[in-house]
Amino acid sequence: SYSLEEASNHIKKIGIVPGMKEMFSNLKSNGVEIIILSGGNDLFVKTYLEQQELSQYFTNIIANRMF
């Protein structure tokens, strides 16, 4: 079992697929609303997006609440 801090540290090590930031940027600049619907934990999803500097591309995140 992992602590919250250990899990967050592992998430921060996950890379991004090349070209994804550019794709999200292009979609947003063309007025496309991008949301995330995940069966994962919202804290982990948000941690990943912040680490990869992707948060600004998403208008909504629907995931399981941590707290």
Side-chain angles (χ1 to χ4, degrees):
S1 148
Y2 287 105
S3 72
L4 183 57
E5 182 179 350
E6 289 172 318
S8 291
N9 287 335
H10 284 290
I11 290 167
K12 291 176 182 176
K13 295 176 185 176
I14 299 171
I16 186 169
V17 174
M20 291 302 288
K21 279 187 186 181
E22 293 81 7
M23 182 192 71
F24 291 136
S25 178
N26 287 335
L27 289 169
K28 184 176 179 179
S29 67
N30 284 299
V32 176
E33 181 179 2
I34 309 169
I35 66 168
I36 292 177
L37 177 60
S38 173
N41 180 286
D42 67 338
L43 180 63
F44 297 150
V45 172
K46 290 174 184 177
T47 298
Y48 179 78
L49 294 176
E50 289 168 9
Q51 178 66 27
Q52 296 297 327
E53 299 178 349
L54 296 172
S55 298
Q56 71 271 15
Y57 300 118
F58 299 91
T59 56
N60 198 1
I61 299 168
I62 302 166
N64 293 309
R65 292 194 165 254
M66 180 78 169
F67 300 103

